[in-house]
Amino acid sequence: MNKRLIDWPTFIFALVILFSVVIPLTLFPEAGAAVINQANEFITGNFGILYLLLGLGALIFLLYVSFSKNGNIKLGARNTKKEFGTFSWAAMLFSAGIGSSILYWGMIEWAYYYQGPPFGITPESEEAINWAASYGMFHWGPIAWALYTLPALPIAYFYYVRKKPILKISEASRPVIGKYADGPLGTLIDVLFIFGLLGGAGTTLALGTPMIAEGVNHVIGIPVSLGMQAIIMLVCTAIFAASSYSGINRGIKVLSDLNIWLVLFLLAFVFIFGPTLFISEMTFTSLGRIVNNIFTMATWLEPLASIPGYEATNFPETWTIFYWAWWVVYAPFVGLFVARISRGRTIKEMTLGTLIYGTLGCVLFFGILGNYGLYLQLSQSFDVIGFMNEYGASAAIIAILDQLPISWFIIPMFTVLAIIFLATTFDSASYILAAVAQKRLIGGEPLRWHRIFWAFTLMILPMVLMFIGGLETLQTASIVAGFPVIFIMILLAWSFMRASTEDLNKQRDARKSNSITIDNIDR
Ligand code: NM2
């Protein structure tokens, strides 16, 4: 155990912030929840525009970079082979960035839009149905994936091109903040990122645990209780801690591959045994609707809401802004992780690969799982909405699955899949948290005990909140915890452009004067 490798200021500061949230929330749960809710409303009500600008800006920026000279830069020396084949790469990327929440929202998001559609449309009308089938895909589509991809650029660049064995957000900001990366500003950046990720993980667990609990209840009949949910959290933690401990080339990779195979089976099953024609047509039509309306959806802030007397839907705050905030808190982590697994690819391959595979994966979930539920509702085979409004979303998800043939097999499989999905996000998250709270890596990996430490730390906040009955407060934890991350994102984009353009210019000058060139520019 090499304690000198730990970045103590970052490590301690992050824990201090975590406990300064956990302790007051434990002592004063109601007042704490009220403060958090007010902060959420304040941020989404006043700064929503920042999130939407960031989302759209990130997509445009990435498309620009991919097709510019900077996009041809190879991550590694000219002859470096890709460290992972494309299947494993895409599987790891998807499994890291997407957790159990896609099973939750993929199945049920349409039901919320159907009852509370955007743009002042009448609830449960035909227009509402069309938007209900499209909006989920949009919230998990190219803009969301652009938020994920943006931080990967500077991080991968410094790690493989400038060959710094450090996986830290502060390190990736160095071209802009210079020597301050080593001082308190650098620590602050890393701590804010860690705090954001803990918030994002809280949102994930607050949604995922009750759903897994409903699945377990359905399979073995144990009623959903606090104790049972706590055991579920602990089992999940044990799984992802073990996977993180065994590292990227073993646990994390094996679990990600397994995850993708299982999920492909589930999706294929629902597609074939569900209403295949309806699913295909609705998915295709929704994609067209999104392409047609992407700017409208990506910029809709319901400005009239600030006019007194206007009956606001709050759709942008509740959905698009909340979603972008949630993607943003995860983004530096996914960026760090994507960077770590992308050795041997070019910036363009990494960027377009993430955008395309990520979006496609999410389209499959929403297209197949979501439209299956929608079909049940519209064909009146099962009243999903009625069931959801009475028993809650988690129970409705399991009830939808119960309509499938051999549901005695599908529901346990779905439950196990949710656990694996959660584990494959949290194993990489604890791996990356350990990397960030370390001064440097040994053999490309953070210390093992350190990974385990963060695995359990990820669980502290949700566990505490669950016992004081605040799991709902945590569902929006991403928003407050993630606000500062918006600025870190901008810093990261700037940093990448500055460093890579500087290096490209140096190379061009070196060519002109026939002196040495940089090794890593592939052409
Ligand atoms: N995102 C993709 O809970 C999860 O599935 C992890 C969630 C940010 C909405 C990520």
Side-chain angles (χ1 to χ4, degrees), residues 97-102 140 148 204 323 326-327 330 425:
I98 301 296
S100 48
S101 311
I102 199 158
W140 294 71
Y148 261 14
T204 296
Y323 257 125
W326 194 12
W327 285 84
Y330 269 96
T425 298

Side-chain angles (χ1 to χ4, degrees), residues 78-115:
R78 201 176 295 241
N79 54 1
T80 307
K81 290 232 170 64
K82 293 185 175 135
E83 187 176 352
F84 297 101
T86 302
F87 182 82
S88 278
W89 180 79
M92 277 200 272
L93 153 94
F94 195 83
S95 306
I98 301 296
S100 48
S101 311
I102 199 158
L103 295 176
Y104 185 98
W105 290 119
M107 299 275 308
I108 207 74
E109 197 161 320
W110 63 268
Y112 289 88
Y113 302 146
Y114 179 60
Q115 297 181 91

Side-chain angles (χ1 to χ4, degrees), residues 11 24 158 180 195 230 296:
F11 185 93
F158 296 113
Y180 296 109
F195 187 62
T296 309

Side-chain angles (χ1 to χ4, degrees), residues 439-481:
K439 288 192 192 125
R440 61 193 160 78
L441 307 181
I442 300 287
E445 300 217 287
L447 295 170
R448 285 198 153 151
W449 71 264
H450 198 199
R451 295 181 224 161
I452 299 280
F453 173 83
W454 285 105
F456 282 90
T457 309
L458 273 172
M459 193 56 82
I460 291 179
L461 185 59
M463 192 73 117
V464 170
L465 277 179
M466 195 179 70
F467 277 105
I468 57 169
L471 224 44
E472 269 172 30
T473 312
L474 201 61
Q475 287 178 0
T476 47
S478 303
I479 298 173
V480 188

